[in-house]
């Protein structure tokens, strides 16, 4: 049996620059990892099979694991088949890219088990129709996303603070968030400049997520959680991606832990990620 972890992301700022004739949007965003992860167990099998611990996520062709598996089979061809058993810990529709992370890991697993030796750019190429967040997860390093968010420039932007992520217990639609936002083609400062040249203390005045206003207008709890994270002492707080999760970055461990315990006690699903966290992208053979 092979095992591997599928990590979630947060967006450090997101500028929506332009609404394109296709309905998609050109954006600039910073991507980094958090420790929240799903656990994959993979076995060779007579045919493809998928089991998920979360029954509310479909396991048919709508599942991004199935879509990635089929894309790999279509473009490269599989010599063996595999069954996937996934323990879902990352909440779905949460702005944490759980489905995209799963798709990227599926491609990396197949590349390893089938010994196809494809580069990350080749894996990105065969996943091009599956979702804008997938290239970041295939690259596997923090970085800047431009274009549709799918052109990735790896960059050392993993925050040097504790990241507390809070899921408000409802999903948020990505398509709706983009439809309802106000694109701004000329933001005063680029996300790249803020993340690479400004101190964490300055981010709250400079770094914004353009998808936040319409989503918060419909879901006040997201705004309330953001306010509470600042009240607890976060240096920076924002909604991740198209929501619904909110994260706060804390400089002091005891403040972060206090905030974590409070949200946890209130019944929210939460994750606390250490400063400078680096995900383990290994795919390990486990004797059974
Ligand atoms: C919000 C983010 O998660 C931030 O990283 C991404 O931009 C969204 O990435 P994703 O969920 O992989 O998005 P996709 O599955 O490609 O697209 C979902 C929907 O979001 C909208 N969408 C997505 C990306 C983009 N640059 N412009 C868009 O308008 C489109 O309506 C699309 O139908
Ligand atoms: N393997 C998967 N894991 C989680 N969700 C999946 C998966 N495959 C398909 N989905 C579907 O994708 C939808 C979005 O899930 P996901 O968790 O990727 O959203 P998200 O984190 O808001 O995405 P993003 O921030 O990339 O827009 C869910 O409604 C879910 O049903």
């Amino acid at each position: 049996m092979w095992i591997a972890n599928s990590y979630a992301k947060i967006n450090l700022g997101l500028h929506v620059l332009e609404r394109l004739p296709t309905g998609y949007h050109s954006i600039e965003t910073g991507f980094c990892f958090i420790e929240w992860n799903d656990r994959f167990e993979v076995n060779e099998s007579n045919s493809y099979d998928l089991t998920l611990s979360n029954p509310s996520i479909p396991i048919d062709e709508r599942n991004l694991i199935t879509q990635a598996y089929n894309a790999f089979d279509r473009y490269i061809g599989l010599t063996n088949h595999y069954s996937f058993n996934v323990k879902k810990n990352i909440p779905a529709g949460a702005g944490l890219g759980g489905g995209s992370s799963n798709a990227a890991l599926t491609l990396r697993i197949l590349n390893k088990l089938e010994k196809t030796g494809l580069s990350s750019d080749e894996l990105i190429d065969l996943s091009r129709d599956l979702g804008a967040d997938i290239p970041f997860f295939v690259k596997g390093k923090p970085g800047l996303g431009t274009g549709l968010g799918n052109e990735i420039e790896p960059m050392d932007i993993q925050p040097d603070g504790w990241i507390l992520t809070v899921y408000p217990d409802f999903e948020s639609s990505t398509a709706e968030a983009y439809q309802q936002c106000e694109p701004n083609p000329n933001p005063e400062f680029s996300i790249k400049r803020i993340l690479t040249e400004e101190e964490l203390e300055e981010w709250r005045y400079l770094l914004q997520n353009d998808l936040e206003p319409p989503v918060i207008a419909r879901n006040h709890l997201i705004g309330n959680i953001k306010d509470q994270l600042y009240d607890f002492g976060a240096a920076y707080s924002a909604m991740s991606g198209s929501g619904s999760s909110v994260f706060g970055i804390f400089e002091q461990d005891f403040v972060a832990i206090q905030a974590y315990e409070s949200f946890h006690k209130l019944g929210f699903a939460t994750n606390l990620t250490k400063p400078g966290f680096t995900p383990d992208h290994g795919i390990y053979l486990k004797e059974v």
Side-chain angles (χ1 to χ4, degrees):
M1 180 202 293
W2 294 86
I3 55 165
N5 293 332
S6 180
Y7 289 92
K9 57 88 176 165
I10 55 166
N11 296 87
L12 300 170
L14 192 154
H15 285 164
V16 180
L17 302 168
E18 201 186 344
R19 186 163 281 135
L20 303 171
T22 55
Y24 270 73
H25 296 76
S26 60
I27 67 169
E28 186 193 15
T29 187
F31 286 110
C32 76
F33 284 100
I34 56 172
E35 290 190 59
W36 222 334
N37 65 82
D38 297 335
R39 174 113 169 149
F40 274 51
E41 291 178 359
V42 181
N43 283 290
E44 247 184 69
S45 162
N46 290 332
S47 59
Y48 173 66
D49 186 48
L50 174 63
T51 330
L52 291 185
S53 63
N54 180 344
S56 60
I57 300 172
I59 50 167
D60 56 16
E61 295 72 35
R62 285 169 293 172
N63 198 290
L64 282 156
I65 298 170
T66 309
Q67 289 180 24
Y69 189 94
N70 289 340
F72 195 98
D73 196 19
R74 190 161 58 246
Y75 292 118
I76 309 299
L78 288 166
T79 50
N80 295 301
H81 282 287
Y82 302 92
S83 64
F84 290 70
N85 181 6
V86 179
K87 174 149 189 343
K88 287 294 299 182
N89 299 312
I90 307 168
L96 304 176
S100 308
S101 173
N102 289 177
L105 180 58
T106 302
L107 297 176
R108 290 196 300 105
I109 288 173
L110 294 176
N111 195 29
K112 181 173 173 106
L113 302 194
E114 292 277 300
K115 302 186 179 65
T116 28
L118 300 176
S119 66
S120 59
D121 285 338
E122 286 168 320
L123 292 179
I124 287 171
D125 207 34
L126 68 91
S127 73
R128 64 188 163 272
D129 298 328
L130 305 189
D133 274 340
I134 297 177
F136 158 71
F137 287 107
V138 172
K139 288 265 180 207
K141 293 195 175 91
L144 206 71
T146 54
L148 302 179
N150 54 357
E151 287 165 28
I152 307 298
E153 184 184 349
M155 214 173 273
D156 188 13
I157 53 168
Q158 188 72 34
D160 192 22
W162 295 80
I163 306 172
L164 173 59
T165 308
V166 179
Y167 173 62
D169 209 20
F170 56 82
E171 295 195 19
S172 170
S173 153
T174 303
E176 244 174 72
Y178 274 107
Q179 272 157 22
Q180 293 169 1
C181 76
E182 278 299 335
N184 174 9
N186 297 306
E188 197 177 346
F189 299 106
S190 71
I191 302 276
K192 180 176 183 172
R193 166 161 172 204
I194 300 165
L195 295 179
T196 56
E197 294 179 23
E198 301 293 341
E199 298 294 329
L200 176 60
E201 295 75 48
E202 297 300 317
W203 288 10
R204 66 188 292 175
Y205 309 109
L206 301 172
L207 192 62
Q208 65 196 44
N209 176 352
D210 290 340
L211 298 177
E212 224 183 70
V215 179
I216 288 185
R218 280 185 280 110
N219 305 289
H220 295 277
L221 181 56
I222 294 176
N224 294 342
I225 293 172
K226 181 174 167 176
D227 292 344
Q228 283 178 46
L229 285 163
Y230 273 127
D231 289 345
F232 269 112
Y236 179 70
S237 176
M239 185 180 84
S240 180
S242 52
S244 56
S245 297
V246 188
F247 65 89
I249 306 179
F250 294 83
E251 286 171 303
Q252 290 169 304
D253 54 358
F254 69 94
V255 184
I257 290 166
Q258 211 171 33
Y260 167 81
E261 283 173 353
S262 298
F263 280 104
H264 193 70
K265 261 192 213 140
L266 288 169
F268 290 102
T270 50
N271 170 268
L272 188 57
T273 292
K274 291 181 204 68
F277 168 66
T278 311
D280 172 8
H281 292 308
I283 298 162
Y284 301 102
L285 184 61
K286 187 178 164 195
E287 300 298 339
V288 282

